[in-house]
Amino acid sequence: MKTPFNKPYQTGKELDNIQDAINRGKISGNGHYTQKCQSFFEERYKFPKCLLTNSCTDALEMAALLCDIQPGDEVIIPSFTFVSTSNAFVLRGAKIVFVDSKPDHPNLDETLLEALITPKTKAIVVVHYGGVACEMDQIMDIAAPHNLYVIEDAAQAIDSFYKGKALGSIGHLGCMSFHETKNIQCGEGGMLMINDPSMIKRAEILWEKGTDRAAFYRGEVDKYGWKDVGSSFLPSEITAAFLWAQLENLDKIQARRKAIWEDYASAFTSDVAEPGVLNTYYIELIKNLKFKIENGLSVRAPERRESKGSRTNGFEPLDSPLSGTQPAKISNAASTSSQDILILNSKILHFKLSANAHLFYLLFPNLSSRTAYAAALKEQGILAVFHYQSLHKSDYSKEHFPDQYLRELPNSDRYSDCLLRLPLFYELPELSNGVGSDL
């Protein structure tokens, strides 16, 4: 695959940091690099307390423990999310109550929350899809009168904000991911952000296998012992050292990702757009293949031609769908839906919620057109992928939450069937130059 969906970026400092961690003589965790990473987030984003974890899944499981989720408690989560969002609370015996997505974005629809709250409801878990913030003011206002915990699944949301506040800092707890598909990565990794001061002491104990060893390391107690339930949630110094190399380059990485995002957005929302960092042939290819798929036209790729001095970087551009082509008529509903999503995201990125260019997606009229477009891209060596399958329609829900399985959540199902993510990673501009090279 010439253009994979993702390619984990390395800054060049990772191995140096790992060697330094080894030389320091402590690689088991909660050492020099763990503390550097945690301090980075606490200082830059004003999180009251951060604890690195082995994954965002670990952070969510810690959140469930801190909220004292018990068998029979109900936890509201979006259906359109990764299974870890649900599993963390199912492990504690919770019943999951699913909420649908918004009509114009995969985030949960906050207007539906109130009707789902019962005397058994214990928490609401919000997922900031693609680093785009949920409507946190309304969600916190809904939760407060019912004394509900709000946990932010900010797995995709590093360096994203809501009204000037870092995502993950608004609810009682926040959870972040450093999986290799994320903007900042260390292969596998995560972090718990504790915003409720009353939870900090217990969080450290859960993090350190149910002991007060963290307090012992700080010299606050003369010995440590078993205080609570817990697990080995903290990562090794090897992982933290790798992560620190990424965090030192956060601004550089983010600037490149936003430039890539802008090229995509311009391609699909403008009649004529000169890409800033991506290859012009690549942009024209993905744009026109989508147009042709949705209009039932031939999807044969254009011939690649050398052209000195051409702004297409040596490729002959595809015919513009707006210059001389008379397409079959597209459904107004389908066309408007796709464009509205893109335009909304563009506004979010720049003006409203300061999103982080984690992903760029297209929304298709139906499953068949999405499948055809992904296949056409794959034939050209470009891997685009769908995302979550509605959890309320899963086999697990059918067996364990049959009432949820029978519910109709049309927006979640629509995103499951119609949403497709395009490649977005640091080295995409360089790899996009090879697209079409053997045509």
Side-chain angles (χ1 to χ4, degrees), residues 372-411:
Y373 182 65
L377 288 178
K378 191 172 183 180
E379 287 182 2
Q380 305 305 317
I382 301 168
L383 183 61
V385 299
F386 57 85
H387 215 172
Y388 310 127
Q389 299 301 292
S390 293
L391 292 183
H392 76 286
K393 290 299 186 186
S394 66
D395 291 342
Y396 190 90
S397 290
K398 184 177 183 180
E399 179 179 353
H400 296 278
F401 310 123
D403 60 323
Q404 298 298 305
Y405 179 81
L406 295 173
R407 291 178 59 209
E408 294 295 328
L409 304 180
N411 293 325

Side-chain angles (χ1 to χ4, degrees), residues 356-370:
N356 64 353
H358 172 63
L359 57 78
F360 188 93
Y361 67 85
L362 297 171
L363 196 65
F364 286 81
N366 48 54
L367 176 60
S368 61
S369 60
R370 182 186 75 176

Side-chain angles (χ1 to χ4, degrees), residues 143-179:
H146 301 281
N147 295 314
L148 303 181
Y149 292 111
V150 175
I151 299 105
E152 294 178 74
D153 183 339
Q156 303 172 356
I158 186 173
D159 206 45
S160 283
F161 299 86
Y162 175 79
K163 298 183 179 180
K165 298 178 181 179
L167 297 190
S169 71
I170 303 165
H172 298 86
L173 298 161
C175 305
M176 192 171 288
S177 174
F178 306 119
H179 184 265

